[in-house]
Amino acid sequence: MGSKAKKSWREKLADDKDLPKVCEVRAGRGIRSGEGRMVIAAPREVDALMKQVPKGRVVTINELRAALARKHQADFACPITTGIFSWIAAHAAAEDEAEGKKRITPFWRTLKMGGEVNPKYPGGVKQITQRLRAEGHKIIAKGRRMLVVDYEKILFTKLR
């Protein structure tokens, strides 16, 4: 048994695994997001969209999914892989930042549905809310969840 070195987040981000792929989804196939043509994007495509979000603006996973669907002429983008790939992009950015890079993917600007800060991103809720507040956003606690106030008004929707 050879011990394989663990892949860095950057390596995971660069591994396209034969993606993107567009497939046909029929109703009742266990995918709650819909039926029709579904795109499973490549990790780097998700990262590229996250990089477009300017300071002072935010995006949700749903905006990323809509942009991916448009790009691939699909009806929708897979919610699971889009979420996983945004998480990989966030960790790759944290790796870059730890190595002293200044221009990294601004993962803290990518929110979950409903404007929720993603607690699984590097630094956790505490660091992400600090970054968002530093960019002028107001954040409130709702139970355990942290939400960006009026995020709909600052949504960045010009993703290409």
Side-chain angles (χ1 to χ4, degrees), residues 46-115:
V46 176
D47 183 55
L49 290 174
M50 291 169 71
K51 277 179 165 46
Q52 293 176 28
V53 183
K55 190 173 181 174
R57 305 297 288 274
V58 295
V59 75
T60 70
I61 290 292
N62 283 350
E63 275 73 45
L64 299 180
R65 290 181 55 217
L68 291 164
R70 278 194 306 275
K71 178 182 175 183
H72 294 285
Q73 282 117 41
D75 298 310
F76 63 102
C78 176
I80 296 159
T81 54
T82 305
I84 291 168
F85 296 158
S86 78
W87 179 72
I88 289 172
H91 282 276
E95 256 178 21
D96 286 344
E97 190 173 43
E99 288 175 13
K101 289 191 179 149
K102 293 285 174 243
R103 294 183 62 85
I104 63 165
T105 299
F107 60 88
W108 55 93
R109 296 179 193 148
T110 300
L111 307 173
K112 293 171 72 170
M113 279 179 4

